[in-house]
Amino acid sequence: MQKKVKTFLLIFIGFYLFSLQILMAQEHRLILKVLSYNIHYGIGMDSQKDLARIAEVINRLNPDIVGLQEVSDSSMVGTLAALTGMHGVFGASTEVEPPNLYHLLGVEVPESQLHYGDGILSRRPFKYLGNTSIPSASSSRYEAMAVDISLAEETGKETEIRFITTHFDYLETVGSIAARKASVGVIEETYVDGEKQIPTILTGDLNATPK
């Protein structure tokens, strides 16, 4: 499993900014700023919902690409996209039914659990690849979504990067720990194209620390 983890560039819990240097050619180096941000459905530490405040953080950090976790719906991504001047897409947790606890027990999913997921913002246009369920040992649904972003304008040739954002199970139980490890394999199988060898960035609230 450790070998699989090394396939990705991981960005851990919460949010922070880093510079990714991609050597597109020996004579050309492109620096991208990437942000991973769990926005807690727009609610801050003061328990107030304020999307404008979240957009202000994003604008201040000025990233090229943002992976958002704990997003309520597509309208929330749309609002943040408008406030930041970025392209946006929402990946609903119910886009593909995951093997969560409700499903395993045969219990109807509560209304409050039906509409949430992750999102991606980008200053460059992108192609949405979809949203895939990942394992969960809790009552929450989790998924991984991905886009392909063109860098042709900067590099002068057909060059893309693949950007993935996700949210892993949060419990410290044996089941949740196993679910997080299994999620790496699901993401790799779904989004890492060995033949195409496209540079891939994985961001998310991973609810885990490196070991």
Side-chain angles (χ1 to χ4, degrees):
M1 185 59 66
Q2 289 182 348
K3 185 176 180 180
K4 289 186 176 181
V5 174
K6 291 179 181 178
T7 306
F8 301 106
L9 172 62
L10 300 180
I11 302 173
F12 294 98
I13 302 171
F15 70 94
Y16 67 92
L17 191 66
F18 73 97
S19 294
L20 173 70
Q21 297 185 0
I22 301 178
L23 282 171
M24 311 310 302
Q26 289 185 352
E27 71 280 1
H28 189 96
R29 176 171 292 181
L30 176 65
I31 298 177
L32 296 176
K33 295 180 180 179
V34 177
L35 176 67
S36 183
Y37 195 172
N38 185 327
I39 64 172
H40 196 229
Y41 309 106
I43 301 173
M45 295 180 67
D46 57 1
S47 300
Q48 300 299 310
K49 184 176 180 179
D50 190 342
L51 293 182
R53 187 167 53 182
I54 291 172
E56 182 181 349
V57 172
I58 296 173
N59 286 329
R60 184 170 68 248
L61 296 174
N62 192 32
D64 295 288
I65 319 169
V66 184
L68 301 170
Q69 301 85 44
E70 296 194 13
V71 181
S72 295
D73 50 33
S74 58
S75 64
M76 183 170 284
V77 174
T79 298
L80 290 173
L83 292 173
T84 58
M86 303 176 80
H87 303 278
V89 63
F90 173 67
S93 63
T94 53
E95 188 170 323
V96 178
E97 184 65 26
N100 58 76
L101 188 59
Y102 293 115
H103 177 72
L104 294 174
L105 296 177
V107 178
E108 185 175 352
V109 180
E111 180 68 23
S112 62
Q113 298 287 306
L114 288 176
H115 305 288
Y116 66 88
D118 300 323
I120 292 174
L121 301 174
S122 172
R123 298 205 180 280
R124 298 165 177 80
F126 55 75
K127 178 173 66 177
Y128 179 48
L129 300 180
N131 193 22
T132 295
S133 303
I134 58 175
S136 170
S138 67
S139 60
S140 298
R141 289 176 165 80
Y142 295 104
E143 62 281 340
M145 61 184 298
V147 299
D148 280 350
I149 302 173
S150 174
L151 304 178
E153 184 175 339
E154 291 85 351
T155 63
K157 58 183 180 180
E158 290 301 320
T159 305
E160 291 182 323
I161 60 168
R162 182 157 297 172
F163 184 84
I164 307 166
T165 200
T166 187
H167 192 177
F168 283 2
D169 204 344
Y170 70 98
L171 297 177
E172 288 303 317
T173 62
V174 172
S176 289
I177 292 172
R180 286 193 288 271
K181 291 181 178 179
S183 295
V184 175
V186 172
I187 292 171
E188 183 175 32
E189 182 179 352
T190 305
Y191 294 124
V192 178
D193 190 337
E195 294 184 3
K196 194 173 183 181
Q197 294 185 335
I198 181 172
T200 300
I201 306 168
L202 171 66
T203 66
D205 185 343
L206 304 182
N207 282 310
T209 56
K211 293 183 179 180

